[in-house]
Amino acid sequence: VFLKMLTSASDNISQNTMVEFLMLYPLWTSLNKVIVSPTLRSTLGSHSLSLLAVLLNYRKNEYSNPYSIKVAGCDDELLLNGFGEILLNYIGRYNNAVLANRQASNQSYSEYISSWIYWTYPASEQDNPAHSLDLSLLLCLYEIVHLNRSFTTVLTQTMSSTTSQGNEDKEGEPESSEEHHSNLISSFLTFSSLIFSNVKDNTAAAQLCFDILLCVSEDHYANAFMHDENQVFTVFIYRTKLRHRKDTSKGITAMSLAYTLLDLMSEFLMTNLTKNFPFELYSKCYRVIHRVLCYQKKCRVRLSYPWSTLWNSVISAVKWSLKLDDPEMINNYIQVGRIFNMFVMYGDTFLPSPGSYDELYYELLRQHSVFDSLNETALKFANKGPQYREPCRDLLANLHNIRAIVNHFSPKIEGWSTANKISTPAPEEVMEIVRSNYDTLTLKLQDGLDHYERYSEVPKEQQFFTGLVRRICKEKRENTLLHIDSGVYRKFANIGQ
């Protein structure tokens, strides 16, 4: 705790002399001992990871940070598992507290959520009912996932959510109740759903969640685990109440984690359509979806997922963002075009059945006005300035096949309607027309659809992480000032200046 006080004495850690001292004389061995020891980990684990998160961000893009090197090269199973247990228990407690709080304010959830809370995260007298969001621990999780590829095995490893905290009963004896197990990645998906349901107040946390999901979705081992049909988990995804969706208490069914991840992405797309549109977060959401599709195409994995749910979510998000008339959204639209082209060109390698193609074409035809508007937007913004000309050209290229599908099938549907004297064909009738006219459809091969630029902090994310670390230091300092003389901080902040 004292070291956390030293490292947060100044908002700018790059100007904190005490942090520089800890670079010259690293604490890695001491942190290692705390995290590996079950006894020390239960009391000091969260503090150690909070400290590590700050140390990992000291001029990390300017020179070789010794802590980054240690984390990146760590292959100590005990240490990696220690990281995982600390983070799993923090996320579990947070999920427990937030869900219990929402349960109290939403009686329609009470029976449904309460059973899930105590099944997944058994309550303890040591749990804090007002457990708050700790950005430093979330940042530490991001840094470990980003730097250490071996940590992927810990993400997918089943661990106990009770023994790692050393809970005791009223008489001081260890609890003898049945242990409940979970893994870090499934708990993190629940955590992310809670964060995404309140992006307005948790923007920084939402961005960290997406950055972690991007790193996970780019990892082959993590994707293999998430798509393994033999590895199914009961994961709760919090669903915001919407006017057209009265029943949000959707029953929890054991599914593969890839299924749950796509469900989470679909939920985010549908529930954050606000005036202050978080287009950067939507861009990251599209990128996660695209990476999952690239894995499925590469490994020919046919995930039994209701793809029409995802298609409708993506199209609804585009329809909303078009109202903003913002040229900065062009790159998001390009990503949407790439996602749909993945389905059109390579869907035969990962869609669960031929009927899924019929459903895809039906949705494209049903909502063709959205893609028509996208085409018009690209033509309009191409004349806004030279910086938009190339992106708009890319967008038009990505819309080519979708417009070809619409232009090919629309006259045939209209002809069928006229011949049968029906104004609006039923979905089954439209899909039958589609099946009868596949042979005459001509599409253009799109290059590089299943390739993507891997996630990198530099240069796009640097400003975000600089601001985040300053915020973490300020929050830690303010929390500590509640308990000590503020003059102590001023003295430490001025050391070496």
Side-chain angles (χ1 to χ4, degrees):
V1 177
F2 178 68
L3 288 172
K4 283 173 62 179
M5 181 183 72
L6 293 180
T7 55
S8 61
S10 171
D11 288 354
N12 188 349
I13 60 170
S14 297
Q15 297 177 359
N16 188 324
T17 309
M18 296 307 300
V19 176
E20 184 177 353
F21 176 82
L22 295 177
M23 293 295 129
L24 298 174
Y25 301 94
L27 292 171
W28 179 256
T29 302
S30 300
L31 292 173
N32 191 326
K33 291 180 179 178
V34 170
I35 295 168
V36 168
S37 168
T39 303
L40 294 175
R41 184 169 64 235
S42 64
T43 54
L44 300 176
S46 295
H47 297 300
S48 298
L49 293 194
S50 294
L51 175 61
L52 180 60
V54 174
L55 295 174
L56 284 168
N57 281 273
Y58 178 80
R59 297 182 178 177
K60 62 178 177 180
N61 296 316
E62 298 176 20
Y63 85 117
S64 298
N65 184 308
Y67 296 92
S68 296
I69 295 173
K70 289 291 187 181
V71 170
C74 179
D75 57 1
D76 185 335
E77 186 175 341
L78 287 176
L79 181 58
L80 293 176
N81 286 340
F83 286 143
E85 287 191 18
I86 295 169
L87 293 166
L88 175 63
N89 280 279
Y90 162 70
I91 289 174
R93 291 196 306 273
Y94 179 87
N95 292 347
N96 192 337
V98 173
L99 286 170
N101 181 59
R102 295 186 183 183
Q103 173 194 4
S105 61
N106 186 355
Q107 293 303 313
S108 64
Y109 269 166
S110 57
E111 182 178 354
Y112 159 57
I113 290 183
S114 61
S115 63
W116 178 85
I117 291 174
Y118 295 107
W119 180 83
T120 308
Y121 305 112
S124 163
E125 291 181 1
Q126 297 178 2
D127 286 339
N128 181 358
H131 197 72
S132 60
L133 178 64
D134 192 332
L135 286 173
S136 64
L137 290 179
L138 188 57
L139 176 60
C140 190
L141 173 59
Y142 159 78
E143 294 290 353
I144 297 172
V145 171
H146 180 227
L147 293 171
N148 191 297
R149 295 191 63 182
S150 300
F151 192 70
T152 306
T153 58
V154 179
L155 286 174
T156 59
Q157 178 178 309
T158 301
M159 293 182 286
S160 169
S161 59
T162 58
T163 58
S164 60
Q165 290 298 310
N167 295 336
E168 296 180 349
D169 63 17
K170 295 181 180 180
E171 298 179 358
E173 296 297 327
E175 291 182 346
S176 58
S177 59
E178 181 184 355
E179 291 184 353
H180 299 270
H181 296 82
S182 182
N183 60 37
L184 185 52
I185 190 169
S186 60
S187 296
F188 179 72
L189 291 175
T190 299
F191 175 88
S192 297
S193 73
L194 295 171
I195 296 297
F196 294 161
S197 67
N198 187 17
V199 169
K200 181 180 178 181
D201 297 329
N202 297 317
T203 304
Q207 183 158 337
L208 275 176
C209 287
F210 271 119
D211 289 341
I212 292 169
L213 291 173
L214 277 170
C215 293
V216 170
S217 62
E218 291 179 358
D219 186 272
H220 183 84
Y221 177 83
N223 266 310
F225 180 85
M226 291 193 297
H227 285 85
D228 188 345
E229 293 183 351
N230 296 317
Q231 299 288 346
V232 294
F233 298 88
T234 304
V235 182
F236 175 78
I237 297 297
Y238 181 82
R239 300 177 189 278
T240 305
K241 274 195 170 183
L242 300 175
R243 290 180 183 177
H244 63 279
R245 187 178 64 188
K246 295 181 181 180
D247 182 15
T248 55
S249 56
K250 183 179 179 180
I252 307 174
T253 306
M255 295 291 182
S256 67
L257 291 178
Y259 186 108
T260 305
L261 175 59
L262 290 173
D263 237 13
L264 175 62
M265 296 299 98
S266 179
E267 184 68 14
F268 173 83
L269 291 172
M270 287 294 293
T271 56
N272 287 281
L273 304 176
T274 60
K275 185 177 292 186
N276 297 321
F277 192 73
F279 67 90
E280 291 185 3
L281 297 182
Y282 270 72
S283 174
K284 291 177 184 289
C285 182
Y286 295 140
R287 289 161 63 189
V288 171
I289 295 170
H290 181 247
R291 280 149 178 74
V292 172
L293 296 179
C294 288
Y295 173 82
Q296 293 178 1
K297 182 260 180 183
K298 178 182 178 181
C299 298
R300 295 182 174 271
V301 177
R302 299 187 184 275
L303 182 68
S304 296
Y305 181 78
W307 290 106
S308 58
T309 302
L310 181 67
W311 299 331
N312 281 317
S313 297
V314 174
I315 294 173
S316 296
V318 172
K319 186 176 182 179
W320 175 268
S321 60
L322 282 169
K323 298 178 183 179
L324 305 178
D325 200 32
D326 188 348
E328 297 301 322
M329 295 293 297
I330 292 295
N331 287 326
N332 282 23
Y333 300 148
I334 292 173
Q335 292 173 348
V336 169
R338 289 171 63 84
I339 287 172
F340 277 105
N341 272 293
M342 281 289 293
F343 285 106
V344 171
M345 302 305 297
Y346 301 120
D348 60 319
T349 63
F350 61 84
L351 287 175
S353 67
S356 300
Y357 253 125
D358 305 335
E359 294 175 7
L360 170 64
Y361 281 40
Y362 170 75
E363 292 299 334
L364 294 177
L365 291 164
R366 185 175 69 88
Q367 307 206 54
H368 68 88
S369 60
V370 177
F371 297 99
D372 291 341
S373 298
L374 266 182
N375 192 74
E376 294 173 5
T377 299
L379 293 173
K380 180 177 67 174
F381 287 153
N383 299 320
K384 287 266 184 184
Q387 70 272 28
Y388 300 120
R389 196 165 297 132
E390 189 64 31
C392 287
R393 189 179 295 119
D394 291 342
L395 175 56
L396 290 170
N398 277 283
L399 291 173
H400 179 275
N401 284 335
I402 298 174
R403 287 174 57 79
I405 291 169
V406 172
N407 293 334
H408 176 75
F409 289 106
S410 292
K412 293 176 171 48
I413 295 173
E414 292 174 4
W416 186 92
S417 299
T418 302
N420 291 273
K421 297 180 180 181
I422 297 176
S423 59
T424 306
E428 295 77 13
E429 293 168 335
V430 173
M431 285 188 274
E432 181 59 37
I433 297 170
V434 168
R435 280 190 289 269
S436 303
N437 292 277
Y438 272 132
D439 295 342
T440 54
L441 174 63
T442 302
L443 299 174
K444 183 178 179 181
L445 183 63
Q446 303 278 342
D447 294 330
L449 285 176
D450 56 342
H451 293 82
Y452 54 83
E453 183 180 348
R454 293 186 68 84
Y455 170 81
S456 175
E457 281 187 23
V458 183
K460 295 181 180 179
E461 305 284 339
Q462 283 180 286
Q463 185 176 356
F464 165 72
F465 282 101
T466 299
L468 178 63
V469 174
R470 291 192 178 200
R471 174 181 170 180
I472 289 172
C473 289
K474 182 179 179 180
E475 290 178 353
K476 295 295 181 186
R477 183 170 67 251
E478 289 176 349
N479 290 336
T480 309
L481 282 172
L482 296 174
H483 307 288
I484 67 170
D485 184 356
S486 60
V488 174
Y489 258 104
R490 288 192 292 272
K491 291 180 182 179
F492 283 121
N494 293 325
I495 291 177
Q497 296 183 1

